[in-house]
Amino acid sequence: KKSVPDLAPLEAVLFDVDGTLCDSDPLHYQVFREMLPQIGFNNGVPIDEEYFIKNIAGKHNPDIAVLLYPDDIPRGIKFMEDKEAMFRSRLASENLPPIKGLYKLTKWIEDRGLKRAAVTNAPKPNAELMISKLGLKDFFDVVILGSDCERAKPYPDPYLKALEVLKVSKDHTFVCEDSVSGIKAGVAAGMPVVGLTTRNPESVLMEANPTILIKDYEDPKLWEALEELDKRIGSSKTSA
């Protein structure tokens, strides 16, 4: 399996949004905890964090709708729309902390003139709100939504679409992700994935086969890999 330095020369970096650019999962979790008992889910007992991580975090809304209302999918979809509206109203009024070191990495990417895309299963208004609250509206060349693709993550389709739109090769691009579903999608698209242990335990993320796992974007493991990448690009230039 390719490591990050093997990608030299690097062409692009692809980012998931929720949990990867910002730590938004606690807010999603809160909203689910409040709203699910109202529909009698789990006999009205609020879900716990373990259930949330295992069954909900990082999943595509239509799949969550099926989980909640297996016999009435339209009703499940309506619930998810209401849930997202509640999430956005909370998000609008709260501050959204970026993952530590995010701007150090975005600056590194900008300084090297790399292409970049946000690739997310989140609904469009959520993705746009989060990206703009983080001040990254001008940073991304494109935002690829799971709903724009034949299949959302954990399938590779959204990442393959990002490569196509940016006109870059999977052999010169890496992905940043924080969920099992997202890591699987990046790996299935043939790219090394930097996995963030923002919310999900390492043991769980390892099952999806990331190239490296980091705590956040200040993690020395990430910067060692990026320095090595820079070195390889530098030495290939001098030898050319």
Side-chain angles (χ1 to χ4, degrees):
K1 192 171 63 182
K2 269 203 169 76
S3 73
V4 170
D6 295 337
L7 301 169
L10 191 61
E11 294 177 344
V13 183
L14 310 179
F15 289 90
D16 170 48
V17 176
D18 260 309
T20 300
L21 298 177
C22 52
D23 190 5
S24 44
D25 260 2
L27 195 52
H28 283 292
Y29 173 54
Q30 237 4 83
V31 173
F32 274 110
R33 265 184 78 89
E34 285 170 36
M35 290 180 70
L36 286 174
Q38 296 167 7
I39 60 167
F41 187 76
N42 192 29
N43 299 322
V45 179
I47 57 167
D48 61 17
E49 195 155 12
E50 196 183 352
Y51 182 89
F52 175 75
I53 287 173
K54 197 166 180 301
N55 300 292
I56 295 178
K59 297 241 167 39
H60 198 219
N61 280 358
D63 300 328
I64 302 171
V66 174
L67 170 80
L68 301 180
Y69 284 102
D71 306 323
D72 190 349
I73 310 250
R75 201 169 155 196
I77 287 170
K78 173 78 179 84
F79 173 87
M80 290 308 294
E81 282 169 2
D82 295 345
K83 180 252 143 183
E84 297 304 359
M86 166 96 95
F87 171 79
R88 283 192 296 276
S89 71
R90 294 278 172 88
L91 188 61
S93 61
E94 293 192 20
N95 70 347
L96 183 69
I99 300 291
K100 263 173 73 177
L102 175 66
Y103 299 124
K104 182 181 173 185
L105 179 57
T106 55
K107 186 181 184 317
W108 185 91
I109 291 168
E110 283 176 331
D111 289 347
R112 283 153 189 75
L114 305 171
K115 293 182 177 179
R116 51 266 187 178
V119 181
T120 177
N121 273 355
K124 188 177 187 180
N126 288 28
E128 286 175 348
L129 183 60
M130 284 186 275
I131 288 167
S132 87
K133 283 206 76 161
L134 290 164
L136 293 174
K137 231 163 129 166
D138 298 331
F139 173 74
F140 288 109
D141 299 312
V142 64
V143 177
I144 305 286
L145 303 168
S147 55
D148 289 341
C149 303
E150 191 75 21
R151 303 172 301 181
K153 305 175 195 177
Y155 292 99
D157 309 32
Y159 279 115
L160 295 172
K161 184 170 179 178
L163 292 171
E164 198 182 313
V165 172
L166 293 178
K167 300 186 169 58
V168 293
S169 158
K170 67 175 173 52
D171 298 323
H172 300 287
T173 303
F174 71 88
V175 169
C176 296
E177 268 288 357
D178 74 303
S179 70
V180 168
S181 143
I183 295 172
K184 281 184 173 162
V187 169
M191 286 174 282
V193 179
V194 173
L196 287 120
T197 57
T198 318
R199 287 281 146 201
N200 300 305
E202 286 193 19
S203 54
V204 173
L205 294 180
M206 282 313 287
E207 292 167 24
N209 212 6
T211 299
I212 50 172
L213 282 182
I214 58 172
K215 188 172 156 290
D216 53 39
Y217 300 114
E218 286 174 359
D219 196 316
K221 269 193 296 195
L222 173 68
W223 293 97
E224 279 161 27
L226 295 180
E227 274 161 31
E228 176 63 27
L229 180 72
D230 269 343
K231 273 198 203 117
R232 291 198 195 179
I233 294 169
S235 62
S236 67
K237 275 185 186 148
T238 49
S239 66

